[in-house]
Amino acid sequence: MSGSDFDPTIFVFAALAAFVVWKLWSVLGVRVDREGPASDRASPARRLGPAPAAQSPAFAPAPASAPLAADRWKGLAESGSAGWRGLDQIAAADRGFSAPAFVDGAKKAYEMIVEAFAKGDRDTLRNLLSTEVFDSFSGEISAREQRGDAADAHVVSIDSATVEDAKVELRKAQITLRFVVKLQSIRRDSAGAVIEGDPERPLEIVDLWTFARDVAARDPNWKLVATETVH
C-alpha cells in the first residue's frame, strides 16, 4: 500500500455488474506483477446496531539481493513491531504488494463496509467480507429488520490507520489495521425515535480490522476476516 505502477486491467470480476467492479477496484487495490502468482472474531459494530462493528493493495520490493530501505514502512507501522516485521514477510512473499496502497484501500473499504452494514446492503458486504464475517453481519441486519429498527452511519473522518500486526502463514497473508475514526451513527426504532447515537455528536472509536488474501492466488483482493472494537 510504493513506487509501483498500477494496472487496473487486472481487476476482472466477470460475474459482477460494472458498478460493483469499479467499487471493488477502488477499494481493494491491484497487483502490479503480471504473473498470477486466524481465526475470525466477527461481530458487526455496536455503534451501527445491536452488536459491535472491517482491503488493499501492492508493492514491488527490491530484488532479494538488495537491502530494504531502513524507513520502508515509516508512517505505516512502528519500527521493530510485529506489524513492521510482518510487512517484510508479505513483501517477500508477494512482489506485487504495496503497503501504502493497501492502507489507502483499507480506508475506503472501512467506509464502504460501515455504511453498507447500516443500510443493510448485503450485496456490497458479500464482496468485501469473508464468509464468516458476512454471515455475522447479515445475521445482525436480519435481527434489526425483524425489530423494525433502522440505522444510519457516516464516517466523518479516519484520523489514522496503522498496521498493528501482519504475517504470512501457509500462503495466507493477514494484516490487522488500527483505525481511529470519528463516526456519525444513529439507530431508530420502528416509530422513527432515536434509540442509540446522537445526531449532533460523532463517536470517536478505535477498531482493529484484519484483512487477508492468499498470496499465491491470482485474485489480488483482500477481504475482511475479523473485527474488534477497542473502545
Side-chain angles (χ1 to χ4, degrees):
M1 339 174 247
S2 60
S4 297
D5 295 329
F6 292 93
D7 183 3
T9 62
I10 60 179
F11 282 88
V12 178
F13 296 86
L16 301 180
F19 176 76
V20 175
V21 173
W22 180 85
K23 278 289 191 182
L24 289 176
W25 178 87
S26 67
V27 170
L28 303 183
V30 300
R31 291 179 63 90
V32 297
D33 56 321
R34 294 184 180 272
E35 317 121 16
S39 65
D40 295 354
R41 48 188 190 281
S43 178
R46 175 73 183 169
R47 54 197 175 275
L48 301 181
Q55 180 151 83
S56 190
F59 160 65
S65 59
L68 290 170
D71 62 347
R72 55 196 174 278
W73 312 126
K74 184 178 180 180
L76 302 175
E78 183 179 349
S79 180
S81 67
W84 187 284
R85 294 190 299 272
L87 290 176
D88 282 347
Q89 292 179 16
I90 295 172
D94 180 2
R95 291 184 59 82
F97 175 70
S98 165
F102 174 88
V103 172
D104 184 61
K107 290 178 181 179
K108 294 180 176 67
Y110 185 97
E111 294 188 44
M112 288 180 66
I113 291 168
V114 166
E115 294 177 13
F117 176 71
K119 294 174 183 176
D121 182 355
R122 291 179 174 85
D123 289 340
T124 295
L125 293 173
R126 186 176 285 107
N127 291 299
L128 299 174
L129 312 180
S130 69
T131 299
E132 293 80 3
V133 177
F134 173 79
D135 288 346
S136 177
F137 277 45
S138 182
E140 293 295 343
I141 291 170
S142 295
R144 190 173 66 210
E145 292 170 342
Q146 290 173 3
R147 292 192 303 270
D149 293 352
D152 180 59
H154 171 67
V155 177
V156 177
S157 65
I158 297 178
D159 297 332
S160 67
T162 55
V163 177
E164 183 85 355
D165 195 10
K167 61 184 176 181
V168 180
E169 290 182 350
L170 301 176
R171 304 191 322 178
K172 176 67 70 67
Q174 290 192 39
I175 300 177
T176 299
L177 287 178
R178 174 180 288 266
F179 290 98
V180 179
V181 177
K182 289 185 178 66
L183 179 70
Q184 189 75 56
S185 177
I186 302 296
R187 188 160 61 94
R188 302 177 187 273
D189 63 19
S190 56
V194 175
I195 55 178
E196 188 173 25
D198 185 341
E200 305 300 325
R201 181 180 303 172
L203 299 171
E204 185 166 316
I205 59 173
V206 178
D207 275 340
L208 297 178
W209 282 18
T210 301
F211 300 89
R213 69 173 294 268
D214 184 342
V215 296
R218 295 186 63 86
D219 183 356
N221 300 310
W222 297 73
K223 289 197 173 185
L224 177 68
V225 300
T227 70
E228 179 182 357
T229 297
V230 178
H231 66 75

